[in-house]
PDB file of all heavy atoms in Angstrom:
ATOM      1  N   GLY A 329       5.400  -3.481  -0.004  1.00  0.00           N
ATOM      2  CA  GLY A 329       5.855  -2.656  -1.117  1.00  0.00           C
ATOM      3  C   GLY A 329       7.295  -2.996  -1.465  1.00  0.00           C
ATOM      4  O   GLY A 329       8.136  -3.103  -0.572  1.00  0.00           O
ATOM      5  N   ILE A 330       7.561  -3.175  -2.739  1.00  0.00           N
ATOM      6  CA  ILE A 330       8.915  -3.472  -3.214  1.00  0.00           C
ATOM      7  C   ILE A 330       9.336  -2.392  -4.204  1.00  0.00           C
ATOM      8  O   ILE A 330       8.639  -2.137  -5.195  1.00  0.00           O
ATOM      9  CB  ILE A 330       8.986  -4.862  -3.875  1.00  0.00           C
ATOM     10  CG1 ILE A 330       8.824  -5.963  -2.814  1.00  0.00           C
ATOM     11  CG2 ILE A 330      10.284  -5.040  -4.650  1.00  0.00           C
ATOM     12  CD1 ILE A 330       8.863  -7.377  -3.376  1.00  0.00           C
ATOM     13  N   CYS A 331      10.450  -1.729  -3.929  1.00  0.00           N
ATOM     14  CA  CYS A 331      11.045  -0.694  -4.781  1.00  0.00           C
ATOM     15  C   CYS A 331      10.026   0.403  -5.088  1.00  0.00           C
ATOM     16  O   CYS A 331       9.698   1.196  -4.210  1.00  0.00           O
ATOM     17  CB  CYS A 331      11.642  -1.313  -6.042  1.00  0.00           C
ATOM     18  SG  CYS A 331      12.829  -0.221  -6.876  1.00  0.00           S
ATOM     19  N   ARG A 332       9.504   0.469  -6.298  1.00  0.00           N
ATOM     20  CA  ARG A 332       8.453   1.442  -6.608  1.00  0.00           C
ATOM     21  C   ARG A 332       7.305   1.345  -5.601  1.00  0.00           C
ATOM     22  O   ARG A 332       6.729   2.354  -5.191  1.00  0.00           O
ATOM     23  CB  ARG A 332       7.914   1.201  -8.019  1.00  0.00           C
ATOM     24  CG  ARG A 332       6.602   1.950  -8.299  1.00  0.00           C
ATOM     25  CD  ARG A 332       5.937   1.441  -9.593  1.00  0.00           C
ATOM     26  NE  ARG A 332       4.516   1.781  -9.591  1.00  0.00           N
ATOM     27  CZ  ARG A 332       4.021   2.940 -10.003  1.00  0.00           C
ATOM     28  NH1 ARG A 332       4.827   3.886 -10.461  1.00  0.00           N
ATOM     29  NH2 ARG A 332       2.719   3.160  -9.963  1.00  0.00           N
ATOM     30  N   GLY A 333       6.985   0.112  -5.186  1.00  0.00           N
ATOM     31  CA  GLY A 333       5.893  -0.078  -4.240  1.00  0.00           C
ATOM     32  C   GLY A 333       6.120   0.658  -2.937  1.00  0.00           C
ATOM     33  O   GLY A 333       5.170   1.193  -2.345  1.00  0.00           O
ATOM     34  N   MET A 334       7.358   0.715  -2.458  1.00  0.00           N
ATOM     35  CA  MET A 334       7.660   1.472  -1.255  1.00  0.00           C
ATOM     36  C   MET A 334       7.422   2.959  -1.509  1.00  0.00           C
ATOM     37  O   MET A 334       6.901   3.673  -0.642  1.00  0.00           O
ATOM     38  CB  MET A 334       9.104   1.244  -0.801  1.00  0.00           C
ATOM     39  CG  MET A 334       9.425   1.970   0.510  1.00  0.00           C
ATOM     40  SD  MET A 334      11.074   1.642   1.171  1.00  0.00           S
ATOM     41  CE  MET A 334      12.009   2.925   0.349  1.00  0.00           C
ATOM     42  N   GLN A 335       7.786   3.425  -2.673  1.00  0.00           N
ATOM     43  CA  GLN A 335       7.617   4.832  -2.997  1.00  0.00           C
ATOM     44  C   GLN A 335       6.138   5.187  -3.134  1.00  0.00           C
ATOM     45  O   GLN A 335       5.705   6.274  -2.718  1.00  0.00           O
ATOM     46  CB  GLN A 335       8.407   5.159  -4.265  1.00  0.00           C
ATOM     47  CG  GLN A 335       9.910   4.979  -4.066  1.00  0.00           C
ATOM     48  CD  GLN A 335      10.705   5.053  -5.358  1.00  0.00           C
ATOM     49  OE1 GLN A 335      10.168   5.374  -6.415  1.00  0.00           O
ATOM     50  NE2 GLN A 335      11.990   4.753  -5.273  1.00  0.00           N
ATOM     51  N   VAL A 336       5.331   4.285  -3.687  1.00  0.00           N
ATOM     52  CA  VAL A 336       3.886   4.501  -3.762  1.00  0.00           C
ATOM     53  C   VAL A 336       3.309   4.669  -2.355  1.00  0.00           C
ATOM     54  O   VAL A 336       2.507   5.577  -2.093  1.00  0.00           O
ATOM     55  CB  VAL A 336       3.196   3.325  -4.488  1.00  0.00           C
ATOM     56  CG1 VAL A 336       1.678   3.386  -4.313  1.00  0.00           C
ATOM     57  CG2 VAL A 336       3.538   3.334  -5.978  1.00  0.00           C
ATOM     58  N   ILE A 337       3.714   3.798  -1.441  1.00  0.00           N
ATOM     59  CA  ILE A 337       3.222   3.862  -0.058  1.00  0.00           C
ATOM     60  C   ILE A 337       3.607   5.190   0.583  1.00  0.00           C
ATOM     61  O   ILE A 337       2.792   5.841   1.245  1.00  0.00           O
ATOM     62  CB  ILE A 337       3.769   2.675   0.753  1.00  0.00           C
ATOM     63  CG1 ILE A 337       3.120   1.369   0.273  1.00  0.00           C
ATOM     64  CG2 ILE A 337       3.541   2.872   2.256  1.00  0.00           C
ATOM     65  CD1 ILE A 337       3.793   0.118   0.794  1.00  0.00           C
ATOM     66  N   ASN A 338       4.845   5.622   0.374  1.00  0.00           N
ATOM     67  CA  ASN A 338       5.295   6.870   0.978  1.00  0.00           C
ATOM     68  C   ASN A 338       4.551   8.077   0.396  1.00  0.00           C
ATOM     69  O   ASN A 338       4.095   8.952   1.137  1.00  0.00           O
ATOM     70  CB  ASN A 338       6.800   7.046   0.769  1.00  0.00           C
ATOM     71  CG  ASN A 338       7.353   8.214   1.545  1.00  0.00           C
ATOM     72  OD1 ASN A 338       7.276   8.261   2.768  1.00  0.00           O
ATOM     73  ND2 ASN A 338       7.912   9.192   0.849  1.00  0.00           N
ATOM     74  N   VAL A 339       4.406   8.116  -0.913  1.00  0.00           N
ATOM     75  CA  VAL A 339       3.724   9.238  -1.555  1.00  0.00           C
ATOM     76  C   VAL A 339       2.243   9.260  -1.166  1.00  0.00           C
ATOM     77  O   VAL A 339       1.670  10.326  -0.917  1.00  0.00           O
ATOM     78  CB  VAL A 339       3.900   9.167  -3.084  1.00  0.00           C
ATOM     79  CG1 VAL A 339       2.991  10.172  -3.790  1.00  0.00           C
ATOM     80  CG2 VAL A 339       5.365   9.428  -3.456  1.00  0.00           C
ATOM     81  N   ALA A 340       1.620   8.091  -1.085  1.00  0.00           N
ATOM     82  CA  ALA A 340       0.212   8.023  -0.698  1.00  0.00           C
ATOM     83  C   ALA A 340      -0.009   8.587   0.701  1.00  0.00           C
ATOM     84  O   ALA A 340      -1.089   9.102   1.013  1.00  0.00           O
ATOM     85  CB  ALA A 340      -0.287   6.585  -0.770  1.00  0.00           C
ATOM     86  N   ALA A 341       1.015   8.509   1.548  1.00  0.00           N
ATOM     87  CA  ALA A 341       0.929   9.032   2.915  1.00  0.00           C
ATOM     88  C   ALA A 341       1.375  10.490   3.006  1.00  0.00           C
ATOM     89  O   ALA A 341       1.527  11.027   4.102  1.00  0.00           O
ATOM     90  CB  ALA A 341       1.765   8.170   3.849  1.00  0.00           C
ATOM     91  N   GLY A 342       1.592  11.129   1.857  1.00  0.00           N
ATOM     92  CA  GLY A 342       1.969  12.539   1.839  1.00  0.00           C
ATOM     93  C   GLY A 342       3.455  12.805   1.808  1.00  0.00           C
ATOM     94  O   GLY A 342       3.879  13.964   1.947  1.00  0.00           O
ATOM     95  N   GLY A 343       4.256  11.772   1.593  1.00  0.00           N
ATOM     96  CA  GLY A 343       5.704  11.942   1.528  1.00  0.00           C
ATOM     97  C   GLY A 343       6.173  12.361   0.144  1.00  0.00           C
ATOM     98  O   GLY A 343       5.383  12.437  -0.812  1.00  0.00           O
ATOM     99  N   THR A 344       7.473  12.615   0.020  1.00  0.00           N
ATOM    100  CA  THR A 344       8.060  13.033  -1.247  1.00  0.00           C
ATOM    101  C   THR A 344       9.240  12.130  -1.595  1.00  0.00           C
ATOM    102  O   THR A 344       9.712  11.341  -0.769  1.00  0.00           O
ATOM    103  CB  THR A 344       8.550  14.491  -1.194  1.00  0.00           C
ATOM    104  OG1 THR A 344       9.579  14.610  -0.200  1.00  0.00           O
ATOM    105  CG2 THR A 344       7.408  15.439  -0.856  1.00  0.00           C
ATOM    106  N   LEU A 345       9.707  12.271  -2.838  1.00  0.00           N
ATOM    107  CA  LEU A 345      10.811  11.453  -3.343  1.00  0.00           C
ATOM    108  C   LEU A 345      11.963  12.314  -3.833  1.00  0.00           C
ATOM    109  O   LEU A 345      11.764  13.448  -4.274  1.00  0.00           O
ATOM    110  CB  LEU A 345      10.338  10.566  -4.497  1.00  0.00           C
ATOM    111  CG  LEU A 345       9.159   9.630  -4.225  1.00  0.00           C
ATOM    112  CD1 LEU A 345       8.811   8.866  -5.493  1.00  0.00           C
ATOM    113  CD2 LEU A 345       9.456   8.683  -3.078  1.00  0.00           C
ATOM    114  N   ILE A 346      13.163  11.757  -3.755  1.00  0.00           N
ATOM    115  CA  ILE A 346      14.323  12.303  -4.460  1.00  0.00           C
ATOM    116  C   ILE A 346      14.212  11.763  -5.878  1.00  0.00           C
ATOM    117  O   ILE A 346      14.219  10.546  -6.084  1.00  0.00           O
ATOM    118  CB  ILE A 346      15.638  11.838  -3.815  1.00  0.00           C
ATOM    119  CG1 ILE A 346      15.695  12.260  -2.352  1.00  0.00           C
ATOM    120  CG2 ILE A 346      16.836  12.383  -4.590  1.00  0.00           C
ATOM    121  CD1 ILE A 346      16.813  11.580  -1.563  1.00  0.00           C
ATOM    122  N   GLN A 347      14.120  12.638  -6.862  1.00  0.00           N
ATOM    123  CA  GLN A 347      13.813  12.168  -8.217  1.00  0.00           C
ATOM    124  C   GLN A 347      14.996  11.563  -8.960  1.00  0.00           C
ATOM    125  O   GLN A 347      14.785  10.750  -9.872  1.00  0.00           O
ATOM    126  CB  GLN A 347      13.203  13.299  -9.039  1.00  0.00           C
ATOM    127  CG  GLN A 347      11.799  13.665  -8.592  1.00  0.00           C
ATOM    128  CD  GLN A 347      11.077  14.499  -9.625  1.00  0.00           C
ATOM    129  OE1 GLN A 347      10.969  14.128 -10.795  1.00  0.00           O
ATOM    130  NE2 GLN A 347      10.573  15.647  -9.202  1.00  0.00           N
ATOM    131  N   HIS A 348      16.225  11.912  -8.590  1.00  0.00           N
ATOM    132  CA  HIS A 348      17.365  11.317  -9.293  1.00  0.00           C
ATOM    133  C   HIS A 348      18.542  11.241  -8.331  1.00  0.00           C
ATOM    134  O   HIS A 348      19.262  12.225  -8.115  1.00  0.00           O
ATOM    135  CB  HIS A 348      17.731  12.133 -10.531  1.00  0.00           C
ATOM    136  CG  HIS A 348      18.658  11.421 -11.463  1.00  0.00           C
ATOM    137  ND1 HIS A 348      18.411  10.144 -11.947  1.00  0.00           N
ATOM    138  CD2 HIS A 348      19.856  11.799 -12.000  1.00  0.00           C
ATOM    139  CE1 HIS A 348      19.407   9.771 -12.740  1.00  0.00           C
ATOM    140  NE2 HIS A 348      20.286  10.745 -12.784  1.00  0.00           N
ATOM    141  N   LEU A 349      18.730  10.077  -7.749  1.00  0.00           N
ATOM    142  CA  LEU A 349      19.769   9.892  -6.730  1.00  0.00           C
ATOM    143  C   LEU A 349      21.181  10.203  -7.225  1.00  0.00           C
ATOM    144  O   LEU A 349      21.978  10.780  -6.477  1.00  0.00           O
ATOM    145  CB  LEU A 349      19.710   8.466  -6.178  1.00  0.00           C
ATOM    146  CG  LEU A 349      18.483   8.149  -5.308  1.00  0.00           C
ATOM    147  CD1 LEU A 349      18.418   6.648  -5.019  1.00  0.00           C
ATOM    148  CD2 LEU A 349      18.534   8.933  -4.001  1.00  0.00           C
ATOM    149  N   PRO A 350      21.573   9.815  -8.448  1.00  0.00           N
ATOM    150  CA  PRO A 350      22.940  10.135  -8.885  1.00  0.00           C
ATOM    151  C   PRO A 350      23.254  11.631  -8.799  1.00  0.00           C
ATOM    152  O   PRO A 350      24.395  12.015  -8.548  1.00  0.00           O
ATOM    153  CB  PRO A 350      22.980   9.636 -10.333  1.00  0.00           C
ATOM    154  CG  PRO A 350      22.000   8.508 -10.349  1.00  0.00           C
ATOM    155  CD  PRO A 350      20.884   8.971  -9.442  1.00  0.00           C
ATOM    156  N   GLU A 351      22.240  12.458  -8.994  1.00  0.00           N
ATOM    157  CA  GLU A 351      22.439  13.899  -8.940  1.00  0.00           C
ATOM    158  C   GLU A 351      22.691  14.372  -7.511  1.00  0.00           C
ATOM    159  O   GLU A 351      23.487  15.279  -7.273  1.00  0.00           O
ATOM    160  CB  GLU A 351      21.197  14.588  -9.508  1.00  0.00           C
ATOM    161  CG  GLU A 351      21.372  16.049  -9.860  1.00  0.00           C
ATOM    162  CD  GLU A 351      20.168  16.562 -10.634  1.00  0.00           C
ATOM    163  OE1 GLU A 351      19.125  16.833  -9.995  1.00  0.00           O
ATOM    164  OE2 GLU A 351      20.259  16.667 -11.878  1.00  0.00           O
ATOM    165  N   SER A 352      22.003  13.760  -6.551  1.00  0.00           N
ATOM    166  CA  SER A 352      22.146  14.191  -5.158  1.00  0.00           C
ATOM    167  C   SER A 352      23.242  13.441  -4.408  1.00  0.00           C
ATOM    168  O   SER A 352      23.833  13.979  -3.473  1.00  0.00           O
ATOM    169  CB  SER A 352      20.811  14.035  -4.416  1.00  0.00           C
ATOM    170  OG  SER A 352      20.386  12.693  -4.438  1.00  0.00           O
TER     171      SER A 352
END
Side-chain angles (χ1 to χ4, degrees):
I330 290 179
C331 198
R332 166 193 159 86
M334 183 176 89
Q335 296 170 7
V336 168
I337 290 168
N338 188 60
V339 170
T344 62
L345 304 178
I346 302 167
Q347 290 196 54
H348 194 52
L349 290 170
E351 195 170 78
S352 60

